[in-house]
Amino acid sequence: MDGTGYEIKGGRTLIGATGYDVPFGKTVGEVPVGSMVYLKENGKSVEYVVIQQGTPGALYDASCDGCWLMRKEVCSDSMSFGSYNDYANSNASNYLNSTFYGLFSANMQSVIKQVKIPYRPGQGYDQTASTGANGLSTRIFLLCSAEVSLSSTIVPTNEGSTLSYFSDCPTSGESSKRAALRNGASAAWFLRTPCCVYNPNYPILSVTTGSLVTENGSFGSTQLSASNYLRPVMVLYSETPIDSNFNVLE
């Protein structure tokens, strides 16, 4: 931040059908969870949902303290996650932190935090996640099943904590909050969570199966070579300013 002053008039946001006054001239850190803010991708304004304010819990490194934003719609083009259920080395993670990150201006890039998120290292069916300071260093990432309040016996333990936006979602079954759209149509989107199951008759599945949120917002598994959509998430510095129209100021 360079200390520049912004003339702010004020504004309102709709959360759960109720309007709230939001004080502007301040920061994204003061915007209520569930509100929409706007970022520019290649100069075009795109809606993002505030899904968490502050560090989600003890599984997270201190770098995760900030304003968590999730793209309202999935990315335009579908893609494969990768050949194996190794998120750190996946096509998805590489795309988000190179091509997609490159859609933002240099000023915007400067307010997207480098964070360490919980994740399951490597490929296979091991259910042990790396957390805290041992998490994956990244700027733009996919959510895990725990963060969207989905529970399953075939996912890693301690891979994450439920984020505030998803705290009232069921741990199984459909959820409109988890469901995503692409140009107005329902779209399934990848999670970073591997499916940790071993089938001796089909051992290859132990390294090629991952998870996603289905079109209706429930938990699903998929072969990671199949094409699905990405729903990017990032953490901004809490002091990043916004204007009266919820635009993040670069």
Side-chain angles (χ1 to χ4, degrees):
M1 301 304 149
D2 62 5
T4 301
Y6 296 90
E7 183 180 354
I8 306 298
K9 298 179 180 178
R12 288 179 66 79
T13 183
L14 191 67
I15 306 172
T18 302
Y20 291 85
D21 289 308
V22 179
F24 289 103
K26 298 187 179 177
T27 66
V28 292
E30 296 173 274
V31 178
V33 169
S35 300
M36 298 292 174
V37 299
Y38 299 86
L39 308 183
K40 287 184 178 179
E41 298 175 2
N42 261 353
K44 180 182 177 181
S45 186
V46 177
E47 283 185 290
Y48 281 75
V49 188
V50 177
I51 57 173
Q52 174 73 30
Q53 292 286 11
T55 308
L59 297 176
Y60 294 80
D61 183 68
S63 61
C64 294
D65 186 16
C67 177
W68 289 53
L69 300 179
M70 176 182 70
R71 205 173 192 271
K72 182 181 177 183
E73 291 205 356
V74 297
C75 293
S76 299
D77 298 322
S78 62
M79 63 182 296
S80 71
F81 184 93
S83 299
Y84 303 105
N85 57 8
D86 177 3
Y87 177 67
N89 296 299
S90 66
N91 294 341
S93 181
N94 179 64
Y95 170 82
L96 291 175
N97 287 279
S98 56
T99 304
F100 186 78
Y101 182 65
L103 298 179
F104 298 102
S105 70
N107 285 344
M108 188 64 224
Q109 290 178 358
S110 72
V111 301
I112 299 173
K113 298 189 71 176
Q114 185 91 28
V115 296
K116 290 185 176 181
I117 57 171
Y119 79 115
R120 200 288 307 274
Q123 58 184 254
Y125 54 92
D126 186 83
Q127 290 185 293
T128 305
S130 292
T131 63
N134 296 316
L136 176 66
S137 182
T138 185
R139 289 190 184 275
I140 303 180
F141 54 96
L142 301 179
L143 294 178
C144 71
S145 58
E147 288 165 347
V148 298
S149 189
L150 280 171
S151 178
S152 173
T153 59
I154 62 171
V155 301
T157 56
N158 296 326
E159 193 190 20
S161 301
T162 301
L163 304 179
S164 298
Y165 179 70
F166 299 102
S167 61
D168 59 352
C169 294
T171 57
S172 62
E174 301 178 10
S175 168
S176 59
K177 277 191 175 181
R178 287 191 291 254
L181 298 176
R182 176 186 176 273
N183 297 330
S186 298
W189 49 286
F190 282 121
L191 297 168
R192 70 175 184 271
T193 303
C195 286
C196 305
V197 60
Y198 179 71
N199 184 331
N201 296 317
Y202 302 98
I204 189 63
L205 295 181
S206 68
V207 296
T208 60
T209 307
S211 62
L212 51 69
V213 174
T214 66
E215 289 88 346
N216 62 19
S218 58
F219 180 85
S221 62
T222 183
Q223 283 293 287
L224 294 171
S225 58
S227 291
N228 284 291
Y229 292 97
L230 305 184
R231 199 174 188 185
V233 173
M234 67 190 73
V235 182
L236 301 191
Y237 287 97
S238 294
E239 62 269 25
T240 305
I242 55 173
D243 69 15
S244 59
N245 294 312
F246 291 88
N247 297 297
V248 174
L249 297 169
E250 303 177 15

